[in-house]
Each structure stands twice: as structure tokens, then as C-alpha cells.
Amino acid sequence: MAASEKDGTGSGRRPSHGDHTGDHTARRGRGGRAPKPGKHSAAWAMRSAAEQLKELLGRAPESVSAIKPTEEGWEADVEVLELERVPETSSVLGTYHVTLDEDGDLLAYERTRRYTRGQIDRRH
């Protein structure tokens, strides 16, 4: 198939970043920016955040509840079991907000929430 048939322009050229044809528009993030080529995936950033927080806290994270790219790297919210109790629903967890640079190195973290496992957030 010819390039002009692939890109739908009829010009024989590949679409540029300004074109609104082709698959690249679906990959754009918020703000209309295309992801930078060669950068790491969200899954990679999640693993990196969880591993480094485990090393610092001495407790294994249970999950990553949020992840987003930033201009400098990544931000994530990581859920950590802080106090195990019986029954399990009374165990205490903490949410940690983690900041990573573009290489996945942890720059900062802070606990933003502490709650029991059985607690449900109520939205107002």
C-alpha cells in the first residue's frame, strides 16, 4: 500500500504532528501533547514507585491507585499496608504521593491519607 493511501492525504507524505489524521492523534495526552518518544511507560513508572517506596518504608505496597506523567517525570499514589489487624477490614493502610524523575528515581514522597481497609470514601 502506498504512503498516500496509508495517511489518507493523497500527498505521499507522512502526517506531521499538526495533522489530524492517523493513529497518532489518539495517543496525545492532555493538553494536546504527543508523548515523548523513548520515554518509559506508566506500568514501568508504577513498578519503579512501588519498589523504591518499599525500600524506604520497609513495607510492600499493596497497589498503585493513581499514576500520571508530568513535565519532570511521574507522580503516583501508592497504597501501603501500615498495620495488619484481624479482621482484615480493620487493617490500617496509608496512601503515599510519590514523585519520580524521568529516569524513575524517587525524588519525594509523603503520606497523604491514613484509613482502615473497610473504609469507603464518601463523595459530597
Side-chain angles (χ1 to χ4, degrees):
M1 182 180 294
S4 60
E5 291 173 24
K6 287 181 185 176
D7 71 12
T9 64
S11 66
R13 66 176 179 82
R14 290 190 174 176
S16 69
H17 287 293
D19 289 341
H20 293 289
T21 58
D23 293 340
H24 69 282
T25 56
R27 292 190 309 264
R28 289 183 183 270
R30 290 195 173 131
R33 280 192 357 249
K36 294 178 182 177
K39 294 299 175 187
H40 298 287
S41 69
W44 171 87
M46 289 172 67
R47 285 189 299 274
S48 183
E51 289 169 7
Q52 291 178 76
L53 197 57
K54 177 183 178 182
E55 185 178 328
L56 290 169
L57 298 177
R59 294 184 289 270
E62 296 229 331
S63 65
V64 176
S65 58
I67 186 89
K68 73 175 185 175
T70 66
E71 290 293 323
E72 295 80 30
W74 295 89
E75 290 183 358
D77 289 337
V78 182
E79 310 302 317
V80 177
L81 178 64
E82 295 196 334
L83 181 60
E84 193 167 4
R85 291 186 176 157
V86 176
E88 240 182 59
T89 54
S90 64
S91 292
V92 178
L93 289 102
T95 301
Y96 289 81
H97 186 76
V98 176
T99 304
L100 304 172
D101 67 13
E102 64 184 16
D103 295 322
D105 293 326
L106 192 139
L107 298 175
Y109 76 93
E110 69 175 309
R111 186 174 62 200
T112 57
R113 181 173 175 236
R114 211 162 183 222
Y115 61 98
T116 58
R117 187 184 297 277
Q119 184 178 341
I120 297 173
D121 287 339
R122 299 197 190 279
R123 301 277 180 200
H124 299 293

